[in-house]
Amino acid sequence: MENEADVFYRQLPKVELHAHLNGSVSSHTIEKLIDRKPHLNIEHNMTAIGKGQRRTLDECFQVFKVIHQLVDTEEDILMVATDVIREFAADSVKYLELRSTPREEKHTGLTKRRYIETVIRAIQLCKEEGLDIDVRFLVAIDRRNGPQVAMETVELAEEFLLSSNGLVVGLDLSGDPTVGDGKSLLPALERAKNCGLKLSLHLSEVPSQLEESDLLLNLPPDRIGHGTFLHPEVGGSQILVDKVLKNNIPLELCLTSNIKGQTVPCYSKHHFKYWYQLGHPSVICTDDKGVFSTDLSQEYQLAASTFGLSREAVWKLSQQAIDCIFAPEAVKQQLKQKWTDLQPQVFQ
Ligand SMILES: CC(C)=CCNc1ncnc2c1ncn2[C@@H]1O[C@H](COP(=O)(O)O)[C@@H](O)[C@H]1O
Ligand SMILES: [Zn+2]
């Protein structure tokens, strides 16, 4: 049963800016996928990391490979995307930016274009259902695939930026941070920026990437995913921090993801504290709510209990996330009005 504190976090209107589609698949949806594909012999414990469990970064990335086997047709993507959106809506997420890497699967006939179209269709279906959530899409580049695939992905994203009625708003750079070379992806990222795609880049998710982070920060990106090792105390540098501050680049912070992936030793040592104390825009996000067995309410609650945030401070945190969204100004105004309207009932 939910206690009063849980109810506050559940009802708190929230903005989710860092959610990978295939990492966000709930156990309920995984069951349905396993039923569709019994021949794969995939078991539930291969797709999620439970409470108290930790894995190496490498093991975490193996989990995505298993999920990708389960999600390899248009029907799968449609189901996964609609389920994920409904779940975020049920968790009082009012604005969601989903990100996903378009995949081609020769054996099912899935193409990258159809992949993106299918996610867009899911977003439209959820809108028709009347869910109280505004959903946008970031097309993702997996850094492991190199500069040519990155450039092709940007070209595809560019097309959808113009043809999706505002649903595709930006580009994400993600994938195993220990693989591939960020420098070689700069031309693709520059092109994306020049054509009006907003950029959210995974940056300094692992140590010793000072040079790459410095190059990527010069773009500059519109938001940073993780930024775990940017600041000097953890082997980053003041130069990197100053670039983030000067350009006022918001950070997307995912507490449980970093603990379970072991890039941060414990909640109290999470870099949320460093950036929050500086008053820098920091947005609490889930990263992969399915893989890490969490949800956004829980992440807000963990941040509050770990760092001693009052309910008023938590409210402000969720409200200030609105300024970091990629959708246009008019959407920000609508969301701010929604927060104002909901405040009395959340605090009653
Ligand atoms: C291993 C770990 C701690 C993960 C959390 N940190 C992450 N860092 C970089 N890329 C990620 C992370 N989580 C998910 N992704 C990306 O998102 C993909 C899954 O979602 P999708 O297929 O793009 O819809 C993964 O294959 C990977 O490319
Ligand atoms: Zn991520």
Side-chain angles (χ1 to χ4, degrees):
M1 217 181 76
E2 283 199 325
N3 64 32
E4 198 198 326
D6 296 337
V7 172
F8 171 78
Y9 290 97
R10 184 101 16 236
Q11 288 189 346
L12 179 74
K14 292 173 286 293
V15 166
E16 169 66 84
L17 300 182
H18 190 135
H20 300 270
L21 178 60
N22 285 296
S24 301
V25 187
S26 65
S27 53
H28 178 65
T29 307
I30 292 282
E31 301 277 341
K32 293 193 279 183
L33 291 163
I34 290 177
D35 284 347
R36 279 183 183 184
K37 298 179 168 71
H39 57 281
L40 290 176
N41 282 323
I42 291 173
E43 287 178 29
H44 215 125
N45 60 7
M46 297 156 76
T47 63
I49 304 166
K51 204 171 156 52
Q53 292 181 346
R54 286 165 194 225
R55 302 279 165 89
T56 64
L57 219 51
D58 203 43
E59 288 166 340
C60 292
F61 281 100
Q62 295 301 326
V63 175
F64 296 119
K65 289 207 180 120
V66 176
I67 299 172
H68 284 159
Q69 280 184 282
L70 284 170
V71 184
D72 64 354
T73 67
E74 276 177 47
E75 288 92 330
D76 297 336
I77 295 163
L78 190 69
M79 177 176 80
V80 161
T82 45
D83 281 6
V84 165
I85 293 169
R86 286 182 194 136
E87 288 154 5
F88 275 114
D91 193 28
S92 305
V93 171
K94 303 299 178 190
Y95 177 90
L96 163 66
E97 282 174 20
L98 265 184
R99 56 185 77 191
S100 193
T101 325
R103 245 181 313 133
E104 177 185 74
E105 295 283 2
K106 290 234 164 64
H107 65 289
T108 66
L110 182 66
T111 64
K112 292 186 181 185
R113 183 181 301 277
R114 291 298 290 163
Y115 188 106
I116 299 177
E117 283 169 354
T118 307
V119 176
I120 291 174
R121 192 145 57 89
I123 296 174
Q124 286 163 338
L125 283 173
C126 287
K127 201 180 269 181
E128 285 163 22
E129 256 176 47
L131 293 179
D132 184 16
I133 183 168
D134 185 329
V135 186
R136 309 286 164 142
F137 186 46
L138 310 181
V139 178
I141 292 176
D142 185 337
R143 48 185 290 144
R144 109 170 20 245
N145 296 329
Q148 198 185 335
V149 172
M151 191 59 92
E152 286 162 15
T153 307
V154 170
E155 283 165 14
L156 206 51
E158 237 178 287
E159 270 183 48
F160 283 98
L161 174 70
L162 301 173
S163 66
S164 65
N165 264 327
L167 294 184
V168 170
V169 288
L171 194 81
D172 154 71
L173 172 64
S174 55
D176 187 339
T178 63
V179 179
D181 158 35
K183 187 176 176 184
S184 70
L185 307 176
L186 279 174
L189 298 173
E190 269 159 11
R191 170 162 181 168
K193 201 175 161 68
N194 289 337
C195 78
L197 287 159
K198 299 279 190 185
L199 295 186
S200 169
L201 309 182
H202 284 62
L203 214 95
S204 284
E205 192 180 353
V206 291
S208 312
Q209 291 194 316
L210 276 80
E211 194 190 325
E212 178 184 294
S213 294
D214 190 60
L215 286 171
L216 294 175
L217 281 173
N218 287 341
L219 283 162
D222 299 282
R223 288 198 315 252
I224 293 168
H226 303 295
T228 315
F229 296 93
L230 284 172
H231 54 297
E233 285 89 329
V234 286
S237 80
Q238 194 59 41
I239 296 173
L240 295 180
V241 171
D242 287 343
K243 282 192 185 182
V244 176
L245 296 177
K246 184 172 138 261
N247 291 301
N248 201 31
I249 312 171
L251 267 78
E252 305 154 356
L253 301 176
C254 315
L255 279 75
T256 298
S257 162
N258 297 154
I259 307 300
K260 290 196 170 174
Q262 300 190 56
T263 52
V264 171
C266 58
Y267 284 99
S268 61
K269 294 218 168 85
H270 195 274
H271 50 294
F272 172 84
K273 187 174 177 182
Y274 177 90
W275 294 98
Y276 186 74
Q277 278 176 348
L278 286 174
H280 187 76
S282 309
V283 185
I284 302 277
C285 302
T286 53
D287 209 8
D288 300 289
K289 73 174 180 62
V291 171
F292 298 120
S293 318
T294 188
D295 60 33
L296 194 54
S297 298
Q298 204 176 318
E299 294 301 303
Y300 268 88
Q301 195 164 3
L302 280 163
S305 62
T306 307
F307 302 106
L309 309 181
S310 66
R311 290 191 176 187
E312 287 68 26
V314 170
W315 177 269
K316 215 169 144 192
L317 200 57
S318 90
Q319 194 176 38
Q320 285 175 341
I322 298 171
D323 285 317
C324 306
I325 72 172
F326 286 165
E329 191 56 38
V331 178
K332 291 185 187 174
Q333 292 313 323
Q334 283 165 18
L335 290 171
K336 285 179 182 171
Q337 186 59 49
K338 187 163 279 178
W339 261 241
T340 305
D341 295 344
L342 287 170
Q343 191 165 20
Q345 78 191 60
V346 175
F347 279 95
Q348 75 183 353

